[in-house]
Amino acid sequence: QVQLVQSGGGLVQAGDSLRLSCAASGRTFIGMVGWFRQFPGLQRDFVATILLSNGSTDYADSVKGRFTIPMETAENAVHLQMNSLKPEDTAVYSCAEHPTTTFWRRRRYSWAYDSWGQGTQVTVSS
């Protein structure tokens, strides 16, 4: 069940940067869009999220100061800019959308999101 389309990801070295993208085919995003990552054999962890109405963002402590969700009004997509990547960032990254503005309080929980991307592998070598 893939509702959103992701691009980006790949194999990089520690200290490098990557940008992931997430789009909804045939429509624009509304509400909030989150990024989650899953390490092998573990649960899906919160990474970052944005409330589209005002650009409010939230980031996990593990990525704060390195990852950002830039507001790019020229395109109907949400991006995750990942800088200063570390080997510990290696995971499958997925984007997700909740279509209302009322779930900001629940923004760090994967179950609060309705639509999901297919996931993309990010591998960071040391």
Side-chain angles (χ1 to χ4, degrees), residues 29-50:
F29 282 113
I30 59 174
M32 64 184 189
V33 177
W35 290 92
F36 295 81
R37 65 187 180 184
Q38 187 170 26
F39 305 109
L42 300 175
Q43 68 181 15
R44 180 173 288 161
D45 292 333
F46 168 77
V47 176
T49 187
I50 184 169

Side-chain angles (χ1 to χ4, degrees), residues 5-10 12 16-23 29 33-39 45-50 52 56-72 75-85 89-96 113 116 119-124:
V5 179
Q6 296 181 227
S7 61
V12 298
D16 285 353
S17 297
L18 279 175
R19 192 184 79 159
L20 307 182
S21 297
C22 180
F29 282 113
V33 177
W35 290 92
F36 295 81
R37 65 187 180 184
Q38 187 170 26
F39 305 109
D45 292 333
F46 168 77
V47 176
T49 187
I50 184 169
L52 298 174
S56 295
T57 55
D58 189 28
Y59 301 93
D61 289 341
S62 58
V63 306
K64 194 171 297 180
R66 299 187 298 118
F67 293 8
T68 59
I69 303 179
M71 289 290 293
E72 298 186 12
E75 59 181 332
N76 297 321
V78 173
H79 310 280
L80 180 66
Q81 180 66 44
M82 304 185 294
N83 298 325
S84 301
L85 283 162
D89 296 318
T90 296
V92 174
Y93 286 73
S94 299
C95 63
Y113 297 83
W116 288 83
T120 186
Q121 178 71 43
V122 172
T123 302
V124 184

Side-chain angles (χ1 to χ4, degrees), residues 96-115:
E97 178 194 29
H98 178 82
T100 78
T101 61
T102 62
F103 267 54
W104 189 239
R105 181 174 63 87
R106 308 175 179 88
R107 61 191 179 274
R108 288 179 168 236
Y109 302 110
S110 61
W111 51 260
Y113 297 83
D114 302 313
S115 301

